[in-house]
Amino acid sequence: MFVLRSSKTQAERREQTRRALIAAARNLFAEQGFAATSTPEIAAAAGVTRGALYHHFADKAALFAAVVAEEHLLIDMAVNGVAAGEDEPGPIKVVLGCCNGFLDAMAEPGRRRIMLVDAPAVLGAERLAAIETQYGRPAVERGLSEAMALGVMRRLPIEPLAQLLGAMVDRAAMAPPDHQADYRKAIKALVRGLKS
C-alpha cells in the first residue's frame, strides 16, 4: 500500500493557514467591523479550528493588526508609480501622485472601515504608528526630503509635514464619493502651496 505524502512543507502549511486566517478576517472586518466579528466566525470562514487561529495569533486584536499591516502593504503597492499621471513636474508630481494613489486605494470596499475607523480604536496610536512606520510613511518622508533638497518645496520639518499630509488624505478618504473630486482639488492646491 502506498501512502501519498503532501508535497508541502510544514512551514508552507503554516503560512497557508495564516494567509487563510488573514483573508477571512479581512473580509469579516470589512463587512461587519472589528467589534461585531468573532473568532469562531473567522476560524469557520478560514476553514480552520479556533485552536489553529490562536496558534497563529494571540488574540483577535493580533489578527486585526496583521490585517492592517497587509492593508498598508496593498495600499503602498497601489500608490507606487501613480505619480506618472500628474501634470506637475518632479517631486511635487510624486507627492500629488501619492495622495491620489492613496485615495484610489482607499476606495477598495471595507478598507476605510478597517484602516480609518477600527484601526485607531483597536490598535491605539502607538501600535498603529509602528505599523505605519514600516510602510507608507518612510516613502512619504523620503519624497518630501527629496523635494526640499532639490529646492522645489519649502524647507519644513519633514516628520510633522508627512503626518499632516497623512491626516489630510485620511480625512479625504472618509469623504462621500460624490465629494472626492473637491477633496482632490483642495489637496492639489495645498500641496502646490508648498512649492518654494
Side-chain angles (χ1 to χ4, degrees), residues 128-147:
L128 187 55
I131 293 171
E132 290 171 350
T133 299
Q134 293 177 334
Y135 297 98
R137 193 181 310 154
V140 172
E141 290 178 1
R142 279 192 305 275
L144 294 172
S145 180
E146 177 186 333

Side-chain angles (χ1 to χ4, degrees), residues 25-161:
R26 194 269 181 220
N27 290 337
L28 290 167
F29 292 145
E31 184 180 312
Q32 304 174 168
F34 177 84
T37 301
S38 69
T39 55
E41 283 180 291
I42 296 168
V48 302
T49 65
R50 281 182 70 200
L53 186 154
Y54 289 114
H55 174 76
H56 290 275
F57 300 98
D59 55 20
K60 186 170 76 164
L63 175 53
F64 183 75
V67 169
V68 169
E70 182 158 295
E71 290 296 303
H72 271 288
L73 177 62
L74 293 170
I75 291 167
D76 284 356
M77 290 168 57
V79 167
N80 286 336
V82 173
E86 285 298 323
D87 58 0
E88 285 286 339
I92 297 291
K93 175 181 181 174
V94 172
V95 173
L96 285 171
C98 288
C99 291
N100 285 319
F102 176 83
L103 292 175
D104 292 342
M106 289 304 287
E108 179 73 23
R111 188 167 277 160
R112 287 184 294 188
R113 171 184 256 170
I114 291 169
M115 302 296 286
L116 302 177
V117 177
D118 285 346
V122 173
L123 301 177
E126 189 174 313
R127 192 168 180 193
L128 187 55
I131 293 171
E132 290 171 350
T133 299
Q134 293 177 334
Y135 297 98
R137 193 181 310 154
V140 172
E141 290 178 1
R142 279 192 305 275
L144 294 172
S145 180
E146 177 186 333
M148 290 176 201
L150 291 171
V152 297
M153 185 178 283
R154 283 188 270 164
R155 289 213 172 262
L156 295 165
I158 291 173
E159 186 177 339
L161 181 58

Side-chain angles (χ1 to χ4, degrees), residues 103 112 171-186:
L103 292 175
R112 287 184 294 188
R171 176 60 189 93
M174 291 299 289
D178 59 333
H179 290 89
Q180 286 289 316
D182 290 339
Y183 276 85
R184 288 176 190 253
K185 281 182 198 172

